Amino acid sequence: MKAKKRALILSSAALMIALASLLIWRFWPRSAPEYAPPARDPLAASAQDFPADLPTLRTDVYDVSLNPDLQVDGQGDCEILFNNPARNGAHLMLDVRLQESNLLIYRTGLVAPGEGIRAIRFVTDALAAMQAGAQPVTLTVYSFALETY
C-alpha cells in the first residue's frame, strides 16, 4: 500500500511540474524578432507592358530594370518602372534615399519575379526634404530568396 501511495504522489508531482512548465512556456513574454521580413508590395503588378528598352542592371543573383529619368511631379508621383524580370530567382525590394543626407524617402515592399511597380508617390515629409530641381538619389536593391517567402 505504501508503494502505491508513494507512486501516486510522485506521478502527481511529475504531472504538476509538467503542467507548470507548459504554462510558463505558453505565457512567458517573448521578445520581438530582430528582423521582420518585408511584405509583398501592394503596388506590384505584371510588368509585361513596361517598355522593353529600359536599362537593366545585371548581377550574379538578379537583373533589375528602372526608369533612367526619374521625375517627381508636384503631388509626389514618380514613374519609377521598377521591374523584376520573370527570369529572376529572387524577390526584389528597392530603397530610394537622398544622396546628400542619406534620408530614406521611399521603400518598396517585395516585388516577385515577373512583376514591377509602375509609379510611386513620395510622402509629404520626403517632398519637404527634396529641393527644387535635380536631386541626386541613391537606389539600393535588395534580393530575397524565393524559398523564404
Side-chain angles (χ1 to χ4, degrees), residues 72 76 98 103 105 122-133 135 137:
V72 181
L98 293 178
L103 175 70
I105 57 174
F122 291 106
V123 295
T124 307
D125 294 346
L127 287 174
M130 289 190 249
Q131 302 165 3
Q135 182 84 25
V137 294

Side-chain angles (χ1 to χ4, degrees), residues 23-83:
L23 289 172
I24 289 170
W25 175 82
R26 172 66 179 95
F27 295 107
W28 192 264
R30 292 179 179 87
S31 61
E34 289 182 30
Y35 173 76
R40 300 251 346 247
D41 196 303
L43 298 176
S46 173
Q48 290 179 341
D49 64 338
F50 281 19
D53 61 345
L54 285 175
T56 300
L57 169 69
R58 300 186 193 288
T59 72
D60 293 342
V61 180
Y62 61 84
D63 296 350
V64 62
S65 299
L66 279 167
N67 181 357
D69 186 30
L70 298 178
Q71 295 187 23
V72 181
D73 68 15
Q75 304 298 314
D77 294 329
C78 177
E79 188 176 49
I80 195 161
L81 300 173
F82 176 56
N83 180 24

